[in-house]
Amino acid sequence: MIRLSLASLRFRAAQSLATFAAVLLGCSLLTACAGLFESAIRLEAPAQRLGGAAVVIAGSAGFHLPDEEPETVPYAERPRVDPALVAQVGSIPGVGRAIPDLSFPAVVVARGRLLGTPLTGHGWESAALTPYTLGRGAEPRSAGQVVLDAALAGAAGKGPGDKMDIVVGGQPQSFTVTGVAQTRHQVDAPAIFFSAPDAKRFSPRPGMADAIGVLPAGDTSAEELARRLEGRLAADLTILTGDDRGTAEFAGITASRLPLILLSSIFGGLVLVVMTLVVSATISLTVRGRRRELALLRTGGATPRQVHRMVVAETMLVSALAALAGTPLGGLLGRSIFSLSAERGVVPPQLEFRPGIIAFAAGLLLALLIPWLAAVLAALPAARVRPIQALAEAAIPPAGVGPTRRLLAVVLAGATVILAVTTMFLDPDTASAVGGPAVLTGGVAVALVGPELLDRLVGRAAGVIGKTGGPGGVLAVINTRARATHFASVLTPLVLATAIALSNVYAQTTHDDAAVRRQVEQFQADAVITSGAGGVSAALLAQIRRTPDVAGASELVSSRGWIEKPYDSRGSDPGTLLGIDTQDKAPVLATPVTSGSLRGLTGETAALPEAQAEELGIKLGDRIRVRLGDGTPADVKVIALLDSPADQGAVVLPAGLLAPHTTAGLPSAILVRAASNQDTLVSALEKHTRAWPDIAVGDRSRLSAMFSAELGMQAWISYLLAVLAIAYAAIATVNTLAVSVLSRRREFAAQRLAGATRRQVRRMLVVEGSIVAAISVAVGTVIAAFTVLPMAIAVGSIVPTGPIWVLLAMIAAIMLIVVPVTLISARLAMRRGPMEVISSPAV
């Protein structure tokens, strides 16, 4: 039977190609997801500027969640270390030199524009950690002197002795270039080295360093040096060697682990479910199309076991070839997705995509396991059915499904409803996690009862289709209902693609729009000022306050952190920390104060949402401990309670307290209140800030854009999932639809012998495909609604928000998938004459 199955493959090229394509793409996507997941676990970012240090000592790896399982959550900002450790580290045997490293916002101004990225300022002492060496000039020794790296000096056209403007700490200042430094290995980020006095003055958090680089003495290895340091230093410090040193150099490396894990896990789960349904549908369609052949084998003496083994062997031969081809393709696909993620800011560009043997093995094994299970299950009915029954069912396959599938579909449909109802009563962040699986449970439920569902829906719409489609429409209705089992294989991937795409996009846009609206509603601002140099300075704020028509202005600092004592139980999802200045007569915070006053929001004080304070048992005047974004604990006094929900509000702190504990160490924006004429405020501010490089002034909409940019990463992931879902559905639909049409050659030949023309047959097929496409969009939209509508209710929007073009594009994509494939397959199916087809033994 095995040799028979191998010999017969060449007579079923279309069916084999369909299975091959489904497994190939599925294996590629699974391997790509596994590679992304493994890269997130490895988190390798080879050090560049710190590449000359054998060991790097960084701050705490993250917040150890109290009262929970031992778990560490990365901080939102860069944790820092005490430079006093330099002396202690230097006394450890094997240490040649310990050097503190510090980064702060500093951008060169050349020809009226900014060159480089904000975090490029460093102390000259840390140049030895690369190492940089002076190619020209001398090192900076006093205030006002800098050394540029060779790339930046070339771009700016500056050399030793030249004067140049540098925006440092958000403020433009003039410096003298004393030298140009160069390094032997690649350093992507430009570097500006300042003298020791200036480095201390510009430090975001005076008295602290970003990290400490350790150079070994003699031939001491990095591993041995790390072991000695671990035995002497505090447990909360992080000792890094090899590629792990990059996590101390590049901001956001550690924090990118969770988004990358979420991307790979969510996408991998979707691919696994979709691939299972698509491959199962493709293989089932192929087996059903061979029922007459299999029945003839049974009448010829083949046992059910032999028939079953033959079907499984054929499927696994094609699947094995597809999986072997899809595994390396998955590596390329994963690298492409990773690169796109880096371009969109989901992961830092310095993080490397490094899948290992585990990722490739996982993708290969899953890609083989799924078609094997599908073939085993699909071949069972074909092998066990009586030959006479199989011959009858090959002519008119039944639309009904078994009681087990029907019961399981009811259970999954009930789970979909339960998930939707539960989502309505959850907070927005939890609702996103709970509501998402409703798409999968709903999609699987439809796939289980697809033939019956298609038969009933087409039956209800038969009158309308018959009137609009004419005789071809009537025949299309009859064929669709008679071949509901075949068309259900087309219905399943289209429904899944529609549901996944619409739910991902509209649930995300609804969540993000509500989140941005809540954030913006906290403030009353007539103008917003931002800077491209890493933040805004106190000098700019003072100038804004002196501008006519300005009633008040405040810095805005945004970060993430926890209330540690009493613990707020936010776990891996830290709350929002906002830093503002409330000393002006026209405050920018719009949230009503229920008790206390914001006038005293200075020093170590805080304002909390009243609902959150009640949950934690905090009263006005109590002192609480807040774990700031860089891991620093701050004991603050609660001086005001705000009228904002506990799950949507933010802990409000003085901007001067929060800003030094961010990576840049500067406020991100200035919010301005108008004294009288709001219409002329923006133009007046633009005039008074013209001397400041790369300062942008806008109205309140700029505030929305700022908060939207922070949420753009998750939105981009949703769009990516939607595109990939459509792509996989397109491949699956092309497979199943082509196989379904090509298997009907004899039927088309009989119609043509009865007088039908090729054009009439093609029109009938287009109507059939359009029916399935319309039902797919409708059912997929209904399934997506079980995620999107509860999300809208959970965030308080009631009505979902998002661009209508996504729905229109989805409808257009489905039609562009179905109609061209139908026409091309019909052309191939009717290429030969009717009599030749009828008389052919294998068609």
Side-chain angles (χ1 to χ4, degrees):
M1 297 300 293
I2 301 298
R3 282 184 293 178
L4 180 61
S5 64
L6 294 177
S8 64
L9 280 177
R10 61 193 182 99
F11 293 106
R12 292 184 303 279
Q15 294 90 331
S16 300
L17 184 60
T19 303
F20 182 89
V23 176
L24 172 70
L25 185 57
C27 180
S28 302
L29 291 173
L30 288 174
T31 304
C33 293
L36 292 172
F37 188 87
E38 188 170 355
S39 297
I41 298 300
R42 292 174 179 268
L43 216 62
E44 294 180 354
Q48 296 181 10
R49 194 176 53 80
L50 300 181
V55 179
V56 175
I57 303 171
S60 173
F63 181 50
H64 297 278
L65 303 180
D67 303 327
E68 297 185 25
E69 293 294 327
E71 183 180 356
T72 300
V73 180
Y75 292 117
E77 315 291 346
R78 172 177 284 167
R80 295 183 170 91
V81 297
D82 188 349
L85 288 171
V86 170
Q88 179 184 350
V89 172
S91 65
I92 296 175
V95 174
R97 187 181 175 191
I99 303 171
D101 178 61
L102 178 67
S103 299
F104 50 86
V107 188
V108 167
V109 181
R111 294 178 287 275
R113 63 187 183 92
L114 301 181
L115 298 179
T117 55
L119 288 177
T120 58
H122 316 282
W124 171 248
E125 185 182 16
S126 64
L129 297 176
T130 309
Y132 274 99
T133 57
L134 282 171
R136 293 181 291 157
E139 63 185 57
R141 297 184 180 275
S142 58
Q145 296 181 343
V146 295
V147 168
L148 305 180
D149 70 9
L152 192 55
K158 299 292 184 179
D162 291 338
K163 294 282 187 179
M164 70 181 311
D165 290 334
I166 300 176
V167 180
V168 57
Q171 184 174 356
Q173 301 181 41
S174 180
F175 292 86
T176 300
V177 179
T178 63
V180 176
Q182 56 190 18
T183 181
R184 293 183 178 179
H185 64 264
Q186 179 182 355
V187 177
D188 295 332
I192 309 172
F193 296 103
F194 293 77
S195 63
D198 278 344
K200 292 180 180 179
R201 181 160 59 97
F202 299 138
S203 172
R205 189 176 166 199
M208 299 297 287
D210 290 353
I212 297 175
V214 182
L215 305 179
D219 57 354
T220 305
S221 66
E223 291 73 17
E224 176 61 26
L225 193 56
R227 283 194 295 269
R228 295 178 186 179
L229 291 171
E230 288 174 354
R232 301 284 190 92
L233 300 181
D236 62 339
L237 294 175
T238 307
I239 312 298
L240 304 171
T241 59
D243 287 343
D244 292 338
R245 294 170 297 171
T247 59
E249 179 178 347
F250 306 113
I253 293 291
T254 305
S256 66
R257 170 173 283 154
L258 183 58
L260 194 55
I261 287 178
L262 288 176
L263 170 62
S264 57
S265 301
I266 295 173
F267 182 43
L270 288 175
V271 170
L272 194 60
V273 173
V274 173
M275 180 184 177
T276 300
L277 295 176
V278 168
V279 171
S280 299
T282 303
I283 293 176
S284 297
L285 179 62
T286 302
V287 173
R288 283 195 299 269
R290 299 176 57 198
R291 279 204 153 189
R292 184 187 300 274
E293 171 195 338
L294 299 178
L296 291 175
L297 285 174
R298 290 286 309 282
T299 59
T303 64
R305 184 177 181 181
Q306 289 175 321
V307 172
H308 187 270
R309 286 177 58 192
M310 183 187 73
V311 173
V312 173
E314 291 175 1
T315 304
M316 291 311 299
L317 176 61
V318 175
S319 300
L321 294 175
L324 290 175
T327 301
L329 183 61
L332 298 175
L333 181 61
R335 187 173 297 279
S336 299
I337 296 175
F338 191 87
S339 299
L340 288 173
S341 302
E343 291 176 4
R344 300 293 300 185
V346 177
V347 297
Q350 296 83 9
L351 189 63
E352 293 193 351
F353 177 70
R354 290 191 179 180
I357 188 64
I358 297 177
F360 291 107
L364 182 64
L365 290 176
L366 286 173
L368 291 176
L369 179 62
I370 291 173
W372 179 78
L373 288 174
V376 168
L377 296 177
L380 283 176
R384 292 175 178 176
V385 71
R386 291 193 299 266
I388 300 300
Q389 180 184 356
L391 289 171
E393 290 182 356
I396 306 177
V401 297
T404 302
R405 293 182 62 172
R406 190 178 295 109
L407 177 61
L408 186 57
V410 171
V411 171
L412 290 174
T416 304
V417 175
I418 292 173
L419 288 171
V421 173
T422 304
T423 302
M424 299 179 187
F425 303 98
L426 299 175
D427 63 89
D429 292 330
T430 307
S432 299
V434 174
V439 175
L440 296 181
T441 56
V444 175
V446 169
L448 290 172
V449 294
E452 286 187 353
L453 179 65
L454 187 62
D455 180 45
R456 292 183 181 182
L457 292 178
V458 174
R460 291 181 179 274
V464 177
I465 298 172
K467 291 179 181 179
T468 57
V474 174
L475 188 57
V477 169
I478 296 173
N479 285 338
T480 305
R481 299 189 68 181
R483 295 180 174 273
T485 303
H486 287 138
F487 282 111
S489 300
V490 180
L491 180 77
T492 297
L494 293 179
V495 167
L496 284 172
T498 304
I500 291 173
L502 296 183
S503 64
N504 271 283
V505 172
Y506 285 117
Q508 190 63 48
T509 54
T510 301
H511 175 275
D512 290 353
D513 289 347
V516 171
R517 186 176 63 253
R518 291 195 304 268
Q519 293 271 40
V520 173
E521 287 174 351
Q522 295 181 91
F523 304 100
Q524 22 187 7
D526 301 307
V528 180
I529 300 173
T530 57
S531 171
V536 294
S537 69
L540 177 61
L541 176 64
Q543 180 175 330
I544 295 301
R545 285 175 170 167
R546 294 192 300 268
T547 303
D549 295 333
V550 171
S554 169
E555 308 106 315
L556 174 62
V557 186
S558 180
S559 186
R560 306 279 290 179
W562 297 264
I563 297 178
E564 185 175 4
K565 290 184 180 180
Y567 179 46
D568 59 13
S569 300
R570 293 196 65 93
S572 59
D573 185 25
T576 302
L577 305 179
L578 290 178
I580 60 172
D581 185 352
T582 61
Q583 303 311 302
D584 282 350
K585 295 180 180 180
V588 298
L589 192 66
T591 307
V593 177
T594 58
S595 59
S597 174
L598 291 174
R599 297 293 298 173
L601 191 67
T602 59
E604 295 184 342
T605 56
L608 303 181
E610 184 178 40
Q612 185 179 22
E614 291 178 356
E615 288 180 4
L616 300 177
I618 300 172
K619 300 180 181 62
L620 197 67
D622 288 352
R623 297 197 72 86
I624 62 174
R625 175 169 294 178
V626 178
R627 181 71 64 160
L628 301 178
D630 65 346
T632 301
D635 293 321
V636 296
K637 180 181 178 180
V638 179
I639 54 97
L641 299 179
L642 308 175
D643 185 17
S644 56
D647 58 346
Q648 300 177 11
V651 177
V652 181
L653 301 166
L657 173 63
L658 184 59
H661 298 281
T662 61
T663 300
L666 294 172
S668 55
I670 296 177
L671 308 182
V672 186
R673 294 285 306 278
S676 56
N677 194 340
Q678 299 180 8
D679 297 332
T680 61
L681 179 62
V682 172
S683 58
L685 291 173
E686 288 177 342
K687 178 180 178 181
H688 282 79
T689 58
R690 198 167 295 162
W692 294 74
D694 209 24
I695 290 293
V697 182
D699 57 16
R700 186 181 178 85
S701 61
R702 184 172 292 275
L703 193 60
S704 299
M706 285 176 54
F707 292 126
S708 296
E710 296 177 2
L711 298 171
M713 176 184 68
Q714 186 63 42
W716 182 83
I717 292 176
S718 297
Y719 281 107
L720 176 63
L721 293 177
V723 170
L724 291 174
I726 295 172
Y728 196 9
I731 298 297
T733 304
V734 168
N735 288 340
T736 52
L737 195 57
V739 170
S740 177
V741 172
L742 292 174
S743 65
R744 297 168 62 184
R745 290 188 180 97
R746 288 182 183 274
E747 174 190 338
F748 302 152
Q751 290 178 352
R752 291 169 63 192
L753 288 175
T757 64
R758 283 190 174 94
R759 183 177 181 181
Q760 290 173 325
V761 174
R762 285 198 297 268
R763 182 179 178 184
M764 177 196 70
L765 290 174
V766 169
V767 175
E768 291 176 4
S770 300
I771 293 172
V772 176
I775 292 176
S776 300
V777 172
V779 174
T781 303
V782 170
I783 294 174
F786 280 93
T787 294
V788 177
L789 292 177
M791 172 61 70
I793 295 174
V795 301
S797 296
I798 308 301
V799 178
T801 59
I804 188 63
W805 64 262
V806 174
L807 176 60
L808 298 178
M810 191 70 225
I811 296 173
I814 295 296
M815 295 306 298
L816 288 175
I817 290 171
V818 172
V819 174
V821 173
T822 301
L823 292 174
I824 294 173
S825 301
R827 182 180 180 86
L828 293 174
M830 293 184 290
R831 185 173 50 185
R832 292 184 291 174
M835 290 303 301
E836 182 183 357
V837 173
I838 293 294
S839 60
S840 176
V843 295

